[in-house]
Coordinates of all heavy atoms in Angstrom, one line a residue:
M11 N 134.3 -115.3 48.5 CA 135.4 -115.8 47.6 C 134.6 -116.4 46.4 O 133.6 -117.0 46.6 CB 136.1 -117.0 48.4 CG 137.2 -117.5 47.7 SD 138.3 -118.5 48.7 CE 137.2 -119.6 49.6
R12 N 135.2 -116.3 45.3 CA 134.6 -116.7 44.0 C 134.8 -118.3 44.0 O 135.8 -119.0 44.6 CB 135.5 -116.2 42.8 CG 135.3 -114.7 42.7 CD 136.1 -114.3 41.5 NE 136.2 -112.8 41.5 CZ 135.4 -112.0 40.8 NH1 134.5 -112.5 40.0 NH2 135.5 -110.8 40.9
P13 N 133.9 -118.9 43.2 CA 134.0 -120.4 43.0 C 135.3 -120.7 42.3 O 135.8 -119.9 41.6 CB 132.9 -120.7 42.1 CG 131.9 -119.5 42.2 CD 132.8 -118.3 42.6
I14 N 135.7 -122.0 42.6 CA 137.0 -122.4 41.9 C 137.0 -122.4 40.4 O 137.7 -121.9 39.7 CB 137.3 -123.8 42.2 CG1 137.6 -123.9 43.7 CG2 138.6 -124.4 41.5 CD1 137.7 -125.3 44.4
E15 N 135.6 -122.5 39.8 CA 135.5 -122.4 38.4 C 135.8 -121.0 37.9 O 136.3 -120.8 36.8 CB 134.1 -122.8 37.9 CG 133.6 -124.2 38.1 CD 133.1 -124.5 39.6 OE1 133.2 -123.6 40.4 OE2 132.7 -125.7 39.8
A16 N 135.4 -120.0 38.6 CA 135.7 -118.7 38.1 C 137.3 -118.3 38.3 O 137.8 -117.6 37.4 CB 135.0 -117.6 39.1
L17 N 137.9 -119.0 39.4 CA 139.3 -118.7 39.3 C 140.1 -119.5 38.2 O 140.9 -118.9 37.7 CB 139.8 -119.3 40.7 CG 139.4 -118.6 41.9 CD1 139.9 -119.3 43.1 CD2 139.7 -117.1 41.9
S18 N 139.5 -120.6 37.9 CA 140.1 -121.3 36.6 C 139.9 -120.5 35.4 O 140.8 -120.4 34.6 CB 139.3 -122.7 36.5 OG 139.8 -123.4 35.4
A19 N 138.7 -119.9 35.2 CA 138.6 -119.1 34.1 C 139.6 -117.9 34.0 O 140.0 -117.5 33.0 CB 137.0 -118.7 34.0
L20 N 139.7 -117.2 35.2 CA 140.6 -116.1 35.3 C 142.1 -116.6 34.9 O 142.8 -115.9 34.2 CB 140.7 -115.5 36.6 CG 139.4 -114.7 37.0 CD1 139.2 -114.3 38.5 CD2 139.4 -113.4 36.0
L21 N 142.5 -117.8 35.4 CA 143.8 -118.2 35.1 C 144.0 -118.6 33.7 O 145.0 -118.5 33.1 CB 144.2 -119.5 35.9 CG 144.3 -119.3 37.4 CD1 144.3 -120.7 38.2 CD2 145.6 -118.6 37.7
G22 N 143.0 -118.8 33.1 CA 143.0 -119.1 31.5 C 142.9 -117.9 30.7 O 143.1 -117.9 29.4
S23 N 142.7 -116.7 31.3 CA 142.6 -115.5 30.4 C 143.9 -115.0 30.1 O 145.0 -115.4 30.7 CB 141.8 -114.4 31.3 OG 142.6 -113.9 32.3
A24 N 143.9 -114.1 29.1 CA 145.2 -113.5 28.6 C 145.9 -112.7 29.7 O 147.1 -112.4 29.5 CB 144.8 -112.7 27.4
R25 N 145.1 -112.2 30.8 CA 145.6 -111.2 31.7 C 146.8 -112.0 32.6 O 147.6 -111.4 33.1 CB 144.6 -110.7 32.6 CG 145.1 -109.9 33.6 CD 143.9 -109.1 34.3 NE 144.4 -108.2 35.3 CZ 143.8 -107.4 36.1 NH1 142.5 -107.1 35.7 NH2 144.3 -106.7 37.0
Y26 N 146.5 -113.3 32.8 CA 147.4 -113.9 33.9 C 148.2 -115.1 33.3 O 147.7 -115.8 32.3 CB 146.4 -114.5 34.9 CG 145.7 -113.6 35.7 CD1 144.3 -113.4 35.5 CD2 146.3 -112.8 36.7 CE1 143.6 -112.3 36.2 CE2 145.6 -111.9 37.4 CZ 144.3 -111.6 37.1 OH 143.6 -110.6 37.8
R27 N 149.5 -115.1 33.7 CA 150.3 -116.1 33.3 C 150.9 -116.7 34.5 O 151.1 -116.1 35.5 CB 151.5 -115.4 32.5 CG 151.1 -114.9 31.2 CD 150.8 -115.9 30.1 NE 150.4 -115.4 28.9 CZ 149.1 -115.3 28.5 NH1 148.2 -115.8 29.2 NH2 148.8 -114.8 27.3
H28 N 151.1 -118.1 34.5 CA 151.7 -118.7 35.6 C 152.9 -119.6 35.1 O 152.9 -120.0 33.9 CB 150.7 -119.4 36.5 CG 150.1 -120.6 35.7 ND1 149.0 -120.4 34.9 CD2 150.2 -121.9 35.8 CE1 148.5 -121.5 34.5 NE2 149.3 -122.4 34.9
K29 N 153.9 -119.7 35.9 CA 155.1 -120.6 35.6 C 155.6 -121.3 36.8 O 155.6 -120.8 37.8 CB 156.2 -119.5 35.2 CG 157.4 -120.1 34.8 CD 157.5 -120.9 33.5 CE 158.8 -121.5 33.3 NZ 158.8 -122.5 32.2
T30 N 155.7 -122.6 36.6 CA 156.4 -123.4 37.7 C 157.8 -123.5 37.4 O 158.3 -123.7 36.4 CB 155.7 -124.8 37.6 OG1 154.3 -124.8 37.6 CG2 156.2 -125.7 38.7
L31 N 158.5 -123.2 38.5 CA 159.9 -123.2 38.5 C 160.5 -124.6 38.7 O 159.7 -125.5 39.1 CB 160.4 -122.3 39.6 CG 159.9 -120.8 39.4 CD1 160.4 -119.9 40.7 CD2 160.3 -120.2 38.1
A32 N 161.8 -124.8 38.6 CA 162.4 -126.2 38.8 C 162.3 -126.7 40.1 O 162.2 -128.0 40.0 CB 163.9 -126.0 38.5
D33 N 162.2 -126.0 41.1 CA 161.9 -126.7 42.4 C 160.5 -127.0 42.9 O 160.1 -127.4 43.9 CB 162.5 -125.7 43.6 CG 161.8 -124.4 43.7 OD1 160.9 -124.1 43.0 OD2 162.2 -123.8 44.7
G34 N 159.5 -126.7 41.8 CA 158.2 -126.9 42.1 C 157.4 -125.6 42.6 O 156.2 -125.6 42.5
S35 N 158.0 -124.7 43.0 CA 157.4 -123.4 43.4 C 157.0 -122.7 42.1 O 157.4 -123.1 41.0 CB 158.3 -122.5 44.2 OG 159.4 -122.0 43.6
G36 N 156.6 -121.5 42.2 CA 156.2 -120.8 41.0 C 155.6 -119.3 41.3 O 155.5 -119.0 42.3
V37 N 155.2 -118.8 40.1 CA 154.6 -117.5 40.2 C 153.3 -117.3 39.2 O 153.2 -118.1 38.3 CB 155.6 -116.4 39.9 CG1 156.7 -116.3 40.7 CG2 156.1 -116.6 38.3
V38 N 152.5 -116.5 39.7 CA 151.4 -116.0 38.8 C 151.6 -114.4 38.6 O 151.8 -113.7 39.5 CB 150.0 -116.2 39.6 CG1 148.9 -115.8 38.6 CG2 149.8 -117.6 39.9
V39 N 151.6 -114.1 37.3 CA 151.8 -112.7 36.9 C 150.7 -112.2 36.3 O 150.0 -112.7 35.4 CB 153.0 -112.6 35.9 CG1 153.3 -111.1 35.6 CG2 154.3 -113.3 36.4
D40 N 150.2 -111.1 36.9 CA 149.1 -110.2 36.4 C 149.8 -109.3 35.4 O 150.4 -108.3 35.6 CB 148.5 -109.4 37.5 CG 147.3 -108.5 37.1 OD1 147.3 -108.1 35.8 OD2 146.6 -108.0 37.9
T41 N 149.6 -109.6 34.0 CA 150.3 -108.9 33.0 C 149.7 -107.5 32.8 O 150.4 -106.6 32.3 CB 150.2 -109.6 31.7 OG1 148.8 -109.7 31.3 CG2 150.8 -111.0 31.7
A42 N 148.5 -107.2 33.2 CA 147.9 -105.9 33.1 C 148.6 -105.0 34.2 O 148.8 -103.8 34.0 CB 146.5 -106.0 33.4
D43 N 148.7 -105.4 35.5 CA 149.2 -104.6 36.5 C 150.6 -104.8 36.8 O 151.1 -104.2 37.7 CB 148.2 -104.7 37.7 CG 146.9 -104.1 37.4 OD1 146.7 -103.3 36.7 OD2 146.0 -104.5 38.4
M44 N 151.2 -105.9 36.3 CA 152.4 -106.4 36.5 C 152.7 -106.6 38.1 O 153.7 -106.2 38.7 CB 153.5 -105.2 36.1 CG 153.6 -105.1 34.6 SD 153.6 -106.7 33.7 CE 155.2 -107.2 34.1
R45 N 151.7 -107.3 38.6 CA 151.8 -107.7 40.0 C 152.2 -109.3 39.9 O 151.7 -110.0 39.0 CB 150.4 -107.6 40.7 CG 150.1 -106.1 41.1 CD 148.7 -106.0 41.7 NE 147.7 -106.5 40.9 CZ 146.7 -107.3 41.3 NH1 146.4 -107.6 42.6 NH2 145.7 -107.7 40.4
V46 N 152.9 -109.7 40.9 CA 153.3 -111.0 41.0 C 152.9 -111.7 42.3 O 153.1 -111.2 43.4 CB 154.9 -111.2 40.8 CG1 155.3 -112.6 41.0 CG2 155.3 -110.6 39.5
L47 N 152.3 -112.9 42.2 CA 152.0 -113.8 43.4 C 152.9 -115.0 43.3 O 153.0 -115.7 42.3 CB 150.6 -114.2 43.4 CG 150.1 -115.2 44.4 CD1 150.3 -114.4 45.8 CD2 148.8 -115.7 44.2
S48 N 153.9 -115.1 44.4 CA 154.7 -116.3 44.3 C 154.1 -117.4 45.3 O 153.4 -117.1 46.3 CB 156.1 -115.9 44.8 OG 156.0 -115.5 46.2
L49 N 154.2 -118.6 44.8 CA 153.5 -119.7 45.4 C 154.6 -120.8 45.7 O 155.5 -121.0 44.9 CB 152.5 -120.4 44.5 CG 151.3 -119.5 44.1 CD1 150.4 -120.1 43.1 CD2 150.5 -119.2 45.3
N50 N 154.5 -121.5 46.8 CA 155.3 -122.5 47.2 C 154.9 -123.8 46.3 O 154.0 -123.7 45.5 CB 155.3 -122.9 48.7 CG 153.9 -123.3 49.1 OD1 153.0 -123.7 48.3 ND2 153.7 -123.3 50.5
R51 N 155.5 -124.9 46.5 CA 155.4 -126.1 45.7 C 153.9 -126.6 45.8 O 153.3 -127.0 44.9 CB 156.3 -127.2 46.1 CG 156.4 -128.4 45.3 CD 157.5 -129.3 45.7 NE 157.0 -130.6 45.5 CZ 157.1 -131.6 46.4 NH1 157.4 -131.3 47.7 NH2 156.5 -132.8 46.2
T52 N 153.4 -126.6 46.9 CA 152.0 -127.1 47.2 C 151.0 -126.0 46.5 O 150.1 -126.5 45.9 CB 151.7 -127.0 48.7 OG1 152.6 -127.9 49.3 CG2 150.3 -127.6 48.9
G53 N 151.3 -124.8 46.5 CA 150.4 -123.8 45.8 C 150.5 -123.9 44.4 O 149.3 -123.9 43.7
M54 N 151.7 -124.2 43.9 CA 151.7 -124.4 42.3 C 151.0 -125.6 41.9 O 150.4 -125.6 41.0 CB 153.2 -124.4 41.9 CG 153.6 -122.9 41.7 SD 152.6 -121.8 40.7 CE 152.7 -122.7 39.2
F55 N 151.2 -126.7 42.7 CA 150.5 -128.0 42.4 C 148.9 -127.7 42.3 O 148.4 -128.1 41.4 CB 150.7 -129.1 43.5 CG 149.9 -130.3 43.3 CD1 150.4 -131.2 42.4 CD2 148.8 -130.5 44.0 CE1 149.7 -132.4 42.3 CE2 148.1 -131.7 43.8 CZ 148.5 -132.6 42.9
V56 N 148.4 -127.0 43.3 CA 146.9 -126.8 43.3 C 146.6 -125.9 42.1 O 145.6 -126.2 41.3 CB 146.4 -126.2 44.6 CG1 145.0 -125.8 44.4 CG2 146.6 -127.2 45.7
L57 N 147.4 -124.9 41.8 CA 147.2 -123.9 40.7 C 147.2 -124.7 39.5 O 146.3 -124.6 38.6 CB 148.1 -122.8 40.7 CG 147.9 -121.8 39.6 CD1 147.8 -120.4 40.2 CD2 148.9 -121.9 38.6
D58 N 148.1 -125.5 39.3 CA 148.1 -126.4 38.0 C 146.9 -127.3 37.9 O 146.4 -127.5 36.8 CB 149.4 -127.2 38.0 CG 150.7 -126.2 37.7 OD1 150.6 -125.2 37.2 OD2 151.9 -126.7 38.0
Q59 N 146.6 -127.8 39.0 CA 145.3 -128.7 38.9 C 144.0 -127.9 38.5 O 143.2 -128.3 37.7 CB 145.1 -129.3 40.4 CG 146.1 -130.3 40.8 CD 146.2 -131.4 40.0 OE1 145.3 -132.1 39.8 NE2 147.4 -131.8 39.4
I60 N 144.0 -126.6 39.2 CA 142.9 -125.8 38.8 C 142.9 -125.5 37.4 O 141.9 -125.4 36.6 CB 142.8 -124.6 39.8 CG1 142.4 -125.1 41.2 CG2 141.8 -123.5 39.2 CD1 142.5 -123.9 42.2
A61 N 144.2 -124.9 36.9 CA 144.3 -124.6 35.5 C 144.0 -125.7 34.5 O 143.6 -125.5 33.4 CB 145.6 -124.0 35.2
G62 N 144.3 -127.0 35.0 CA 144.0 -128.2 34.2 C 142.6 -128.6 34.3 O 142.1 -129.6 33.6
G63 N 141.6 -127.8 35.0 CA 140.2 -128.2 34.9 C 139.8 -128.8 36.2 O 138.5 -129.1 36.4
A64 N 140.6 -129.1 37.2 CA 140.0 -129.8 38.6 C 139.4 -128.5 39.3 O 140.2 -127.7 39.8 CB 141.3 -130.3 39.2
T65 N 138.1 -128.5 39.4 CA 137.4 -127.5 40.1 C 136.6 -127.9 41.4 O 136.0 -127.0 41.9 CB 136.5 -126.7 39.1 OG1 135.6 -127.5 38.5 CG2 137.3 -126.0 37.9
R66 N 136.7 -129.0 41.7 CA 135.9 -129.5 42.8 C 136.9 -129.6 44.1 O 137.9 -130.2 44.0 CB 135.3 -131.0 42.6 CG 134.2 -130.9 41.6 CD 133.5 -132.2 41.4 NE 133.9 -133.3 42.4 CZ 134.5 -134.4 42.2 NH1 135.1 -134.7 41.0 NH2 134.8 -135.3 43.1
R67 N 136.3 -129.1 45.1 CA 137.2 -129.0 46.3 C 137.7 -130.3 46.9 O 138.7 -130.6 47.1 CB 136.4 -128.2 47.3 CG 136.4 -126.8 47.4 CD 135.7 -126.0 48.5 NE 135.1 -124.8 48.4 CZ 135.8 -123.7 48.0 NH1 137.0 -123.8 47.8 NH2 135.2 -122.5 48.0
A68 N 136.6 -131.2 46.7 CA 136.9 -132.6 47.3 C 138.1 -133.3 46.5 O 138.9 -134.0 47.0 CB 135.6 -133.4 47.3
L69 N 138.0 -133.1 45.3 CA 139.1 -133.6 44.4 C 140.5 -133.1 44.6 O 141.4 -133.8 44.7 CB 138.7 -133.4 42.9 CG 139.7 -133.9 41.9 CD1 140.0 -135.4 41.9 CD2 139.2 -133.5 40.4
L70 N 140.4 -131.7 44.8 CA 141.7 -130.9 45.0 C 142.3 -131.5 46.4 O 143.4 -131.7 46.6 CB 141.5 -129.5 45.0 CG 141.2 -128.9 43.6 CD1 140.7 -127.5 43.8 CD2 142.4 -129.1 42.6
E71 N 141.3 -131.7 47.3 CA 141.8 -132.0 48.7 C 142.5 -133.4 48.6 O 143.5 -133.8 49.2 CB 140.7 -132.1 49.7 CG 140.2 -130.8 50.2 CD 139.0 -130.8 51.2 OE1 138.7 -132.0 51.6 OE2 138.3 -129.7 51.3
Q72 N 141.7 -134.3 47.9 CA 142.2 -135.7 47.8 C 143.6 -135.8 47.1 O 144.5 -136.5 47.5 CB 141.2 -136.6 47.0 CG 141.5 -138.0 47.0 CD 141.6 -138.6 48.4 OE1 140.8 -138.4 49.3 NE2 142.6 -139.5 48.7
R73 N 143.7 -134.9 46.1 CA 145.1 -134.9 45.3 C 146.1 -134.3 46.2 O 147.3 -134.9 46.2 CB 144.9 -134.1 44.0 CG 144.0 -134.9 43.1 CD 144.0 -134.1 41.7 NE 143.3 -134.8 40.8 CZ 142.9 -134.5 39.5 NH1 143.3 -133.3 39.2 NH2 142.1 -135.2 38.7
L74 N 145.8 -133.4 47.1 CA 146.8 -132.9 48.1 C 147.2 -134.0 49.0 O 148.3 -134.1 49.4 CB 146.3 -131.8 48.9 CG 146.2 -130.3 48.1 CD1 145.4 -129.4 48.9 CD2 147.7 -130.0 47.9
I75 N 146.2 -134.7 49.5 CA 146.4 -135.8 50.5 C 147.4 -136.9 49.8 O 148.4 -137.3 50.5 CB 145.1 -136.4 50.9 CG1 144.3 -135.4 51.8 CG2 145.3 -137.8 51.7 CD1 142.8 -135.9 52.0
E76 N 147.0 -137.2 48.6 CA 147.8 -138.3 47.9 C 149.2 -137.8 47.5 O 150.1 -138.6 47.7 CB 147.0 -138.8 46.7 CG 145.7 -139.5 47.1 CD 144.9 -139.7 45.9 OE1 145.3 -139.4 44.7 OE2 143.8 -140.3 46.1
T77 N 149.3 -136.6 47.1 CA 150.6 -136.1 46.5 C 151.6 -135.7 47.7 O 152.8 -136.1 47.8 CB 150.4 -135.0 45.7 OG1 149.6 -135.4 44.6 CG2 151.6 -134.5 45.1
F78 N 151.1 -135.0 48.7 CA 151.9 -134.5 49.8 C 151.8 -135.2 51.0 O 152.4 -134.9 52.1 CB 151.6 -133.0 50.0 CG 151.9 -132.2 48.8 CD1 150.9 -131.8 47.8 CD2 153.2 -131.8 48.5 CE1 151.1 -131.1 46.7 CE2 153.5 -131.2 47.5 CZ 152.5 -130.7 46.5
E79 N 151.0 -136.3 51.1 CA 150.8 -137.2 52.2 C 150.6 -136.5 53.6 O 151.2 -136.6 54.6 CB 152.1 -138.1 52.4 CG 152.5 -139.0 51.3 CD 153.7 -139.8 51.4 OE1 154.3 -139.7 52.4 OE2 153.9 -140.6 50.5
V80 N 149.5 -135.6 53.4 CA 149.0 -134.9 54.6 C 147.7 -135.5 54.9 O 146.9 -136.1 54.2 CB 149.0 -133.4 54.3 CG1 150.3 -132.8 54.0 CG2 148.0 -133.1 53.1
D81 N 147.1 -135.0 56.1 CA 145.9 -135.5 56.5 C 144.9 -134.7 55.9 O 145.1 -133.5 55.4 CB 145.8 -135.5 58.1 CG 146.0 -134.1 58.8 OD1 145.1 -133.2 58.6 OD2 147.0 -133.9 59.3
R82 N 143.5 -135.0 56.0 CA 142.4 -134.3 55.5 C 142.4 -132.8 55.9 O 142.1 -131.9 55.1 CB 141.1 -135.0 55.6 CG 140.0 -134.4 54.7 CD 138.8 -135.3 54.5 NE 139.2 -136.6 53.7 CZ 139.4 -136.7 52.4 NH1 139.3 -135.7 51.6 NH2 139.7 -137.9 52.0
D83 N 142.5 -132.6 57.2 CA 142.3 -131.4 57.8 C 143.4 -130.3 57.3 O 143.1 -129.2 57.1 CB 142.3 -131.4 59.4 CG 141.0 -131.9 59.9 OD1 140.0 -132.0 59.3 OD2 141.2 -132.5 61.1
T84 N 144.6 -130.9 57.2 CA 145.7 -130.1 56.6 C 145.4 -129.6 55.2 O 145.6 -128.5 54.8 CB 147.0 -130.7 56.8 OG1 147.3 -131.0 58.2 CG2 148.2 -129.9 56.3
A85 N 145.0 -130.7 54.5 CA 144.6 -130.5 53.0 C 143.6 -129.4 52.9 O 143.8 -128.5 52.0 CB 144.3 -131.7 52.4
R86 N 142.5 -129.5 53.7 CA 141.4 -128.6 53.6 C 141.8 -127.1 54.0 O 141.6 -126.3 53.3 CB 140.4 -129.1 54.5 CG 139.1 -128.2 54.5 CD 137.9 -128.8 55.2 NE 137.5 -130.0 54.5 CZ 137.2 -131.2 54.9 NH1 137.5 -131.4 56.1 NH2 136.7 -132.2 54.2
R87 N 142.5 -127.1 55.0 CA 143.0 -125.7 55.6 C 143.9 -125.0 54.5 O 143.9 -124.0 54.2 CB 143.6 -126.0 57.0 CG 144.1 -124.7 57.6 CD 144.7 -124.8 58.9 NE 145.9 -125.8 58.8 CZ 145.9 -127.0 59.5 NH1 144.9 -127.4 60.2 NH2 146.9 -127.8 59.4
D88 N 144.9 -125.9 54.0 CA 145.8 -125.3 53.1 C 145.1 -124.8 51.8 O 145.4 -123.8 51.2 CB 147.0 -126.4 52.8 CG 148.0 -126.5 53.9 OD1 147.8 -125.7 54.9 OD2 148.8 -127.4 53.9
L89 N 144.2 -125.8 51.3 CA 143.4 -125.4 50.1 C 142.7 -124.1 50.2 O 142.6 -123.2 49.4 CB 142.6 -126.6 49.7 CG 141.6 -126.4 48.5 CD1 142.6 -126.1 47.2 CD2 140.8 -127.7 48.3
E90 N 142.0 -124.0 51.4 CA 141.1 -122.8 51.7 C 142.0 -121.6 51.6 O 141.6 -120.5 51.2 CB 140.2 -122.9 52.9 CG 139.1 -123.9 52.8 CD 138.3 -123.7 51.6 OE1 137.8 -122.4 51.5 OE2 137.9 -124.6 50.9
E91 N 143.2 -121.7 52.4 CA 144.1 -120.5 52.4 C 144.6 -120.1 50.9 O 144.6 -118.9 50.7 CB 145.2 -120.8 53.3 CG 146.2 -119.7 53.4 CD 147.3 -119.9 54.4 OE1 147.3 -120.9 55.3 OE2 148.4 -119.4 54.3
L92 N 144.9 -121.1 50.2 CA 145.4 -120.8 48.9 C 144.3 -120.2 48.0 O 144.5 -119.2 47.3 CB 145.9 -122.1 48.3 CG 146.3 -121.9 46.7 CD1 147.4 -120.9 46.6 CD2 146.6 -123.3 46.2
L93 N 143.1 -120.8 48.1 CA 142.0 -120.2 47.3 C 141.7 -118.8 47.7 O 141.3 -118.0 46.8 CB 140.7 -121.1 47.4 CG 140.8 -122.5 46.9 CD1 139.5 -123.3 47.2 CD2 141.2 -122.4 45.4
R94 N 141.7 -118.4 48.9 CA 141.6 -117.1 49.4 C 142.7 -116.2 48.8 O 142.3 -115.1 48.3 CB 141.5 -116.9 50.9 CG 140.2 -117.2 51.5 CD 140.2 -116.8 53.1 NE 141.3 -117.4 53.7 CZ 141.3 -118.6 54.4 NH1 140.2 -119.4 54.3 NH2 142.3 -119.1 55.1
D95 N 143.9 -116.5 48.8 CA 145.0 -115.9 48.2 C 144.8 -115.6 46.7 O 145.0 -114.5 46.2 CB 146.2 -116.5 48.5 CG 146.8 -116.4 50.0 OD1 146.2 -115.6 50.8 OD2 147.7 -117.2 50.4
L96 N 144.5 -116.7 46.2 CA 144.2 -116.5 44.7 C 143.1 -115.6 44.3 O 143.2 -114.9 43.5 CB 144.0 -118.0 44.0 CG 145.1 -118.9 43.8 CD1 144.7 -120.3 43.5 CD2 146.3 -118.4 42.8
D97 N 142.0 -115.7 45.0 CA 140.9 -114.9 44.8 C 141.3 -113.4 45.1 O 140.9 -112.6 44.2 CB 139.7 -115.3 45.8 CG 138.4 -114.5 45.6 OD1 137.9 -114.5 44.5 OD2 137.9 -113.8 46.5
R98 N 142.1 -113.2 46.0 CA 142.4 -111.7 46.3 C 143.4 -111.3 45.1 O 143.2 -110.2 44.7 CB 143.1 -111.6 47.6 CG 142.3 -111.5 48.8 CD 143.1 -111.1 50.1 NE 144.2 -111.9 50.4 CZ 144.2 -112.9 51.1 NH1 143.1 -113.3 51.7 NH2 145.2 -113.6 51.4
H99 N 144.2 -112.1 44.7 CA 145.3 -111.7 43.7 C 144.5 -111.6 42.3 O 144.8 -110.5 41.6 CB 146.4 -112.7 43.6 CG 147.4 -112.3 42.7 ND1 148.3 -111.3 42.8 CD2 147.6 -112.7 41.4 CE1 149.2 -111.2 41.9 NE2 148.7 -112.1 40.9
L100 N 143.7 -112.5 42.0 CA 143.1 -112.6 40.7 C 142.0 -111.6 40.4 O 141.7 -111.4 39.3 CB 142.7 -114.0 40.3 CG 143.8 -115.1 40.2 CD1 143.2 -116.4 40.0 CD2 144.9 -114.6 39.3
T101 N 141.4 -111.2 41.5 CA 140.1 -110.5 41.4 C 140.4 -108.9 41.9 O 139.6 -108.2 42.0 CB 138.9 -111.0 42.2 OG1 139.3 -111.0 43.5 CG2 138.7 -112.4 41.6
A102 N 141.7 -108.6 42.3 CA 142.0 -107.3 42.8 C 141.7 -106.4 41.6 O 142.0 -106.6 40.4 CB 143.4 -107.2 43.2
P103 N 141.2 -105.2 41.9 CA 140.9 -104.2 40.9 C 142.2 -103.7 40.2 O 143.2 -103.7 40.8 CB 140.2 -103.1 41.6 CG 140.2 -103.4 43.0 CD 140.8 -104.7 43.2
S104 N 142.2 -103.5 39.0 CA 143.2 -102.9 38.2 C 143.6 -101.6 38.7 O 142.8 -100.8 39.0 CB 143.0 -102.9 36.6 OG 142.9 -104.2 36.2
R105 N 144.8 -101.2 38.6 CA 145.3 -99.9 39.0 C 144.9 -99.0 37.8 O 145.1 -99.4 36.7 CB 146.7 -99.8 39.1 CG 147.2 -100.5 40.5 CD 148.8 -100.3 40.7 NE 149.3 -101.7 40.5 CZ 150.5 -101.9 40.4 NH1 151.4 -101.0 40.1 NH2 151.0 -103.1 40.4
P106 N 144.5 -97.7 38.1 CA 144.3 -96.7 37.1 C 145.4 -96.3 36.2 O 146.4 -96.4 36.5 CB 143.7 -95.6 37.8 CG 143.9 -95.7 39.3 CD 144.4 -97.2 39.3

């Protein structure tokens, strides 16, 4: 899995756009391949944090704990799952 800094750089590239919806959920669109990754409210919160420059795992975990009132193990597990999903989506090879 790529470092969070690499995911942040990809999110800032022209290829990817993300949009938070009214309910807090959202989408990441790969404009080159027209693939869409939908995220729940928690996922979009983390994605927005990463896009805003928060790239340390400990900081992201702490923000999840404070914002969603979850325990550290839950925050860590959810963060790792989301980072794996983002890594797969953002680094998948383009279709020919």
Side-chain angles (χ1 to χ4, degrees):
M11 183 168 49
R12 291 177 194 264
I14 297 171
E15 293 86 357
L17 296 176
S18 178
L20 287 169
L21 286 170
S23 73
R25 180 175 176 167
Y26 298 99
R27 296 286 181 254
H28 62 279
K29 174 74 175 163
T30 303
L31 305 175
D33 67 355
S35 66
V37 294
V38 178
V39 178
D40 177 340
T41 61
D43 290 340
M44 296 312 295
R45 290 181 296 142
V46 176
L47 174 65
S48 62
L49 298 169
N50 64 17
R51 190 170 144 240
T52 305
M54 278 309 295
F55 173 81
V56 172
L57 184 127
D58 287 339
Q59 296 293 307
I60 292 170
T65 57
R66 290 184 13 249
R67 286 185 197 300
L69 176 61
L70 292 168
E71 284 177 18
Q72 189 59 40
R73 289 183 178 172
L74 282 171
I75 291 165
E76 292 168 359
T77 303
F78 295 98
E79 299 178 358
V80 297
D81 61 73
R82 188 161 303 282
D83 289 337
T84 300
R86 183 172 289 130
R87 183 178 55 247
D88 288 353
L89 179 60
E90 289 306 313
E91 182 179 339
L92 174 63
L93 292 174
R94 277 192 304 274
D95 288 347
L96 285 173
D97 186 53
R98 277 194 307 268
H99 182 78
L100 298 179
T101 62
S104 294
R105 288 184 245 159

